[in-house]
Amino acid sequence: MNYKTMTFQSEKLKEHFHIGYEIILVTQGESVFKINDALCHFEKYSIVFINNLEKHEMQTLKLPYSRYMAIIDADFFDNIIKDPVLLSIFKIRPKGFKNGFKLKKEHVDSIEEIFYQLSLIHSKKQEFWQIEFNALLSKLIVLIYRNYKEHFPIQNIDKAEKRIFDIQSFIDENFKKELSLESLSAQFYLNRYYLAHLFKEVTGFTVKQYILLKRIAFSKNELYFTDKSITEIAFDSGFNSQSNFIRIFQKKEGITPLQFRMYYRKNYLG
């Protein structure tokens, strides 16, 4: 779990990745984000939600630029929030989804105060700080949902959608294992064509895409934070061979796993 406030004097933040969900509150200036292939403009008092599967880079348009930025482990967040409707702001990416929006004037002070308190709690780490942090984080997400539910991909959940969320959670927990559309349809007693259609409709991803994105995201974390070999990381991430891992990684990221490790360690470590 990482929490920090950042002020940028430079005009460009290189494309980067995070291992968790990212919540950003812009408090000064303006910026444009490239999230995957979409350009998103965010001005002062915009709030932004980026999941751990999305590549992104930012360019400031107006200085000074400052923001609160919370990076929270995805599994940790999922276990705290749990409700699929609230989690949809991170886990669901239907066509046309916007990663952020501007807050109404009447909510700015209360939301900015929550970000400040979260930062304070995390920096001091007093007794039982995790409980306090979790409660305040939950309050933030509920407050945003109650006042901006139109920006959440899901507002109400029906039985079919709940089934898809269960399958998505199963993939989250088991993506390192051998998974396929066929095995999931058997596991959850659903017709494979119905499952494929509904999973894409609800989440915005095909089953295969989602499994691969989970594996790639995990492998990035391993490449950056560990000294494991490429072969070890390939199998730890759920790929059946080193060559298959390298081929898929390079196709998705435009560079090999080794090049990724060297680039991010040179540019971001220390």
Side-chain angles (χ1 to χ4, degrees):
M1 184 166 38
N2 187 10
Y3 203 104
K4 53 187 172 179
T5 307
M6 301 184 72
T7 303
F8 289 93
Q9 300 302 328
S10 61
E11 296 190 0
K12 176 107 172 157
L13 180 66
K14 288 176 271 190
E15 182 176 86
H16 60 292
F17 77 102
H18 292 303
I19 61 174
Y21 298 149
E22 186 173 342
I23 311 174
I24 300 166
L25 176 64
V26 179
T27 55
Q28 288 188 87
E30 297 180 21
S31 58
V32 61
F33 278 69
K34 183 181 180 183
I35 304 173
N36 289 335
D37 295 322
L39 293 177
C40 311
H41 175 260
F42 299 116
E43 54 187 335
K44 184 178 181 180
Y45 296 133
S46 293
I47 192 163
V48 186
F49 299 87
I50 302 172
N51 71 32
N52 57 328
L53 307 181
E54 294 171 312
K55 292 189 299 182
H56 55 287
E57 55 185 300
M58 181 275 290
Q59 182 172 356
T60 55
L61 301 178
K62 183 178 179 181
L63 294 171
Y65 179 81
S66 63
R67 63 184 181 175
Y68 283 103
M69 180 173 69
I71 304 169
I72 304 167
D73 179 81
D75 292 335
F76 171 84
F77 187 89
D78 290 357
N79 287 327
I80 293 300
I81 302 301
K82 294 183 179 178
D83 186 274
V85 171
L86 298 179
L87 288 175
S88 70
I89 196 71
F90 285 115
K91 297 182 77 70
I92 304 300
R93 290 294 181 264
K95 187 176 181 180
F97 173 79
K98 304 294 184 184
N99 286 80
F101 50 88
K102 187 169 182 179
L103 298 174
K104 298 171 187 174
K105 188 177 293 185
E106 61 264 32
H107 301 137
V108 167
D109 288 344
S110 57
I111 290 177
E112 188 169 8
E113 177 63 19
I114 291 176
F115 271 91
Y116 172 74
Q117 291 298 328
L118 285 170
S119 180
L120 205 61
I121 292 165
H122 188 262
S123 63
K124 290 186 174 181
K125 290 185 171 66
Q126 296 176 323
E127 295 124 320
F128 305 112
W129 72 269
Q130 295 98 331
I131 296 174
E132 186 180 15
F133 186 94
N134 297 350
L136 199 53
L137 178 62
S138 299
K139 180 180 179 180
L140 173 66
I141 300 302
V142 170
L143 175 63
I144 293 170
Y145 176 76
R146 286 175 176 170
N147 292 286
Y148 303 94
K149 64 176 62 178
E150 69 275 13
H151 294 284
F152 282 66
I154 302 289
Q155 287 87 49
N156 296 291
I157 185 166
D158 59 28
K159 188 175 180 180
E161 288 172 335
K162 176 63 168 60
R163 201 78 180 276
I164 293 302
F165 276 111
D166 290 342
I167 294 170
Q168 190 179 33
S169 295
F170 181 83
I171 294 172
D172 291 344
E173 295 172 6
N174 296 280
F175 66 87
K176 299 176 189 178
K177 300 177 182 177
E178 189 172 340
L179 293 178
S180 65
L181 177 61
E182 290 74 16
S183 66
L184 290 168
S185 65
Q187 174 85 15
F188 288 90
Y189 303 102
L190 288 174
N191 176 277
R192 58 176 294 197
Y193 300 107
Y194 175 74
L195 170 56
H197 170 76
L198 193 59
F199 193 92
K200 172 69 173 177
E201 182 179 62
V202 172
T203 68
F205 305 100
T206 67
V207 169
K208 184 177 180 180
Q209 281 174 334
Y210 191 72
I211 293 170
L212 284 178
L213 285 171
K214 291 291 295 185
R215 290 173 176 171
I216 292 294
F218 180 82
S219 71
K220 288 180 181 179
N221 182 39
E222 296 289 283
L223 288 163
Y224 186 76
F225 288 107
T226 78
D227 292 318
K228 291 179 181 178
S229 69
I230 302 300
T231 301
E232 285 180 289
I233 292 172
F235 286 104
D236 287 350
S237 303
F239 294 94
N240 57 15
S241 70
Q242 175 183 304
S243 59
N244 192 39
F245 169 53
I246 293 172
R247 178 180 60 80
I248 293 173
F249 191 100
Q250 187 165 16
K251 183 178 179 181
K252 293 286 185 184
E253 301 300 318
I255 55 177
T256 67
L258 182 58
Q259 289 170 333
F260 177 92
R261 169 177 273 171
M262 294 172 63
Y263 173 81
Y264 276 93
R265 287 189 172 185
K266 178 182 178 182
N267 287 279
Y268 293 100
L269 276 181

